[in-house]
């Protein structure tokens, strides 16, 4: 066993043991605990849980690597995935918490109609499922590289541990494991980042010090046939229009993702939901402000390491990562002249985006314990998000579909719990299969889930809260048209479901289509609502009611 | 309808049918929301995307300013915006007697 493997085993066993202990202590018996942790989670803990829920394998493993190669345009992920929290905090979280039940489809079901509830439940399952695939694949990469397992077995191992604590503890177990996972992942992310920053610039604050290397990085990038890091709109073919749309899609998607929204149901009060949003973004920003620095430093170290080297004299990490097939070297080249992240580019050195963060301690020449810690952090990020998503899938399938559509009455508490757990188990099995055959880069898979969330949930939630006249037929038509529009364009432009990839229309990439899908949804919902009967006075009163944190002191109202 | 009649949490019950405070509460909430969202749009889509190229001509500590807004500045502003919203809404809640401060509020 190498030193790196020893430390990886050490940290993986340590952290997995911690999650399992927490899960065992917070195992649940009631549906209210299973779905929303009894609405008793303190604000600060909820913020950390949201952050872990949110920061996925894509954020931890994929994002800095993407930014390294996208350069300035990597901002679509940074602004998109954080800016959505402003929308969430101001426009959705307090109101959904006030209404306060178990799931997002349940809100739209009460607000609009039973048929919208079913559409929403199906959308929640589709969106969460698309997203969970990326987490599984990310976990598999970590295991295959650090523990020498095949990616397939890595995925299975991740699934088994998640199965244990998610099925046992439901939302309550997931919440407190997520707090632990946040702690693990942020430590694992920041330590190497600070170390590399200090090593390269002498200033141990990566957020500030990466400015100093940008000029050098630009020069080196050009030398290896890459675009400059600081040049705007060089990283995405669609240019400014596309960057705008992708950022907007990711923001709307962030605010519309069911697994994030349900985390606001777990606070004690509406006020708690507002402060949870603040803590969540605060915790998230610790990683997101660091990621571009990690991307820049790692890319600089990478390029410096291979400069003037031939295939035989390359740094060690290239060989170790070569075994995973995620790094390839042109053995015929005399010296490495070109570097790329695209498998089809024909460059002398091809590095997959997804390995940059995990390899950053090795690329920067940091000691083995840090490499092991990084692996544990990557696992924490993948698992915490996967668990949150699986809860959404399970609650939508059992709570919103099975018990509302198939078995309408007479389900005991025990039966509801059992169906919830079975639904989760099935979801995990399908996720294993999809995780072994992921359709694209980890971070990209996730971006598609955002497009779907942006074009289905975001508009009908916003209209449900801010426009009393929005009604059931409008919401059904809006969601279905948004979904159909967005999914069609994605399938048209991507090679995901065995279809050929066609050219982008008007420079809109499949990741940016969600913003237009959302506009379609808004328009259709408003037009159809105007043409049909407005909702009942009871529903309109409900909309009125959720706008205020609590019944006014001493005012007796029903 | 005077504001004074509905201020504070003095425990004086307002007349049972009166819900006019709700419109005023909502209007204040909306106004705050619009101001904060305007700032949100300006720093992210404005400085980070639409104006990134002209701003990049200004370089501070190695960072072209537009790039800095896109990768750092906008995120700092987002965090502050949510904090300001939460704090400000506490004030509005107090003003209208719907605050939930006791141990994170009157959880029912």
């Amino acid at each position: 066993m190498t030193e790196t493997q020893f430390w990886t085993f050490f940290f993986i066993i340590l952290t997995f043991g911690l999650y399992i202990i927490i899960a065992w202590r917070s195992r649940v018996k009631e549906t209210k605990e299973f779905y929303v942790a009894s609405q008793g989670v303190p604000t600060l803990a909820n913020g950390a849980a949201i952050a872990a829920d949110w920061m996925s394998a894509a954020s931890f493993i994929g994002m800095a690597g993407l930014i390294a190669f996208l350069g300035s345009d990597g901002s679509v992920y940074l602004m998109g995935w954080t800016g959505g929290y402003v929308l969430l905090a101001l426009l959705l979280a307090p109101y959904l918490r006030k209404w306060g039940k178990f799931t997002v489809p349940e809100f739209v079901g009460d607000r609009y109609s039973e048929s919208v509830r079913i559409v929403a439940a199906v959308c929640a399952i589709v969106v969460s499922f698309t997203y969970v695939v990326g987490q599984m694949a990310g976990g598999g990469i970590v295991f295959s590289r650090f523990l020498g397992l095949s990616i397939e077995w890595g995925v299975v191992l991740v699934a088994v541990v998640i199965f244990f604590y998610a099925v046992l503890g439901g939302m309550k177990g997931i919440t407190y494991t997520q707090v632990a996972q946040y702690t693990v992942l942020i430590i694992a992310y920041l330590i190497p980042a600070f170390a590399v920053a200090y090593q390269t610039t002498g200033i141990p604050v990566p957020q500030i010090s990466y400015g100093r290397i940008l000029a050098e990085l630009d020069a080196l990038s050009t030398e290896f046939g890459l675009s400059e890091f600081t040049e705007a709109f060089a990283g995405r073919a669609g240019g400014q229009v596309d960057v705008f749309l992708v950022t907007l899609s990711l923001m709307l998607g962030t605010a519309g993702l069911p697994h994030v929204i349900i985390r606001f149901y777990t606070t004690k009060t509406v006020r708690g939901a507002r402060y949870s949003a603040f803590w969540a973004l605060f915790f998230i920003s610790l990683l997101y402000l660091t990621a571009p620095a990690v991307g820049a430093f790692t890319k600089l170290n990478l390029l410096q390491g291979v400069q003037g080297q031939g295939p035989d004299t390359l740094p060690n990490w290239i060989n170790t990562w070569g075994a995973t097939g995620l790094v390839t070297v042109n053995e015929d080249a005399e010296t490495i002249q070109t570097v790329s992240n695209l498998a089809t580019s024909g460059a002398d050195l091809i590095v997959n985006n997804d390995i940059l963060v995990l390899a950053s301690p090795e690329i920067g020449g940091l000691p083995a314990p840090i490499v092991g810690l990084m692996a544990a952090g990557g696992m924490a990020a993948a698992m915490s998000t996967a668990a949150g998503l699986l809860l959404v899938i399970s609650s939508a399938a059992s709570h919103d579909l099975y018990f509302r559509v198939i078995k309408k009455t007479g389900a005991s508490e025990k039966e509801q719990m059992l169906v919830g757990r079975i639904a989760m188990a099935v979801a995990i099995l399908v996720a294993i299969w999809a995780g072994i055959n992921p359709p694209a880069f980890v971070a990209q898979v996730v971006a598609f889930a955002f497009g779907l969330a942006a074009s289905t949930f975001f508009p009908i939630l916003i209209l449900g809260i801010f426009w009393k006249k929005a009604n059931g037929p409008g919401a059904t038509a809006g969601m279905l048209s948004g979904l159909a529009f967005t999914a069609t364009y994605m399938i048209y432009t991507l090679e995901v479901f065995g279809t050929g990839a066609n050219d982008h229309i008007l420079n809109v990439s499949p990741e940016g289509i969600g913003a237009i899908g959302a506009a379609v949804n808004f328009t259709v919902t408003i037009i159809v609502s105007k043409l049909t009967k407005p909702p009942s006075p009871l529903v309109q009163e409900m909309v009125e009611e959720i706008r205020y944190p609590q019944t006014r002191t001493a005012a007796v109202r029903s | 309808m005077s504001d004074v009649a509905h201020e504070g949490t003095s425990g004086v019950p307002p007349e049972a049918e009166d819900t006019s405070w709700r419109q005023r509460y909502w209007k204040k909430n909306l106004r705050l929301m619009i101001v904060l969202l305007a700032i949100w749009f300006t720093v992210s889509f404005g400085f980070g995307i639409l104006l990134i190229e002209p701003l990049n001509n200004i370089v501070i500590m190695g960072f072209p300013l537009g790039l800095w807004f896109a990768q750092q500045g906008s995120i700092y502003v987002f965090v502050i915006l949510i904090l300001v919203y939460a704090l400000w809404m506490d004030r509005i809640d107090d003003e209208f007697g719907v605050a939930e401060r006791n141990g994170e509020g009157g959880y029912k």
Side-chain angles (χ1 to χ4, degrees), chain A residues 198-282:
Chain A
Y198 183 68
Q199 211 174 47
T200 319
T201 64
I203 302 170
V205 186
Q207 294 84 349
I208 296 170
S209 60
Y210 85 96
R212 303 188 163 222
I213 60 146
L214 289 177
E216 196 185 348
L217 180 58
D218 280 349
L220 259 180
S221 299
T222 321
E223 197 180 307
F224 283 99
L226 294 161
S227 56
E228 290 188 358
F229 189 88
T230 58
E231 192 189 339
F233 316 126
R236 303 190 68 91
Q240 193 165 24
V241 174
D242 194 39
V243 168
F244 191 97
L245 286 175
V246 174
T247 307
L248 188 58
S249 295
L250 295 179
M251 284 189 186
L252 302 184
T254 300
L257 277 174
H259 77 285
V260 182
I261 295 175
I262 56 166
R263 284 240 48 106
F264 289 99
Y265 289 166
T266 59
T267 58
K268 289 176 184 157
T269 58
V270 172
R271 181 169 183 261
R274 292 185 202 134
Y275 281 95
S276 284
F278 163 70
W279 284 117
L281 189 59
F282 174 79

Side-chain angles (χ1 to χ4, degrees), chain B residues 45 95 98:
Chain B
F45 293 99
E95 191 183 329
V98 291

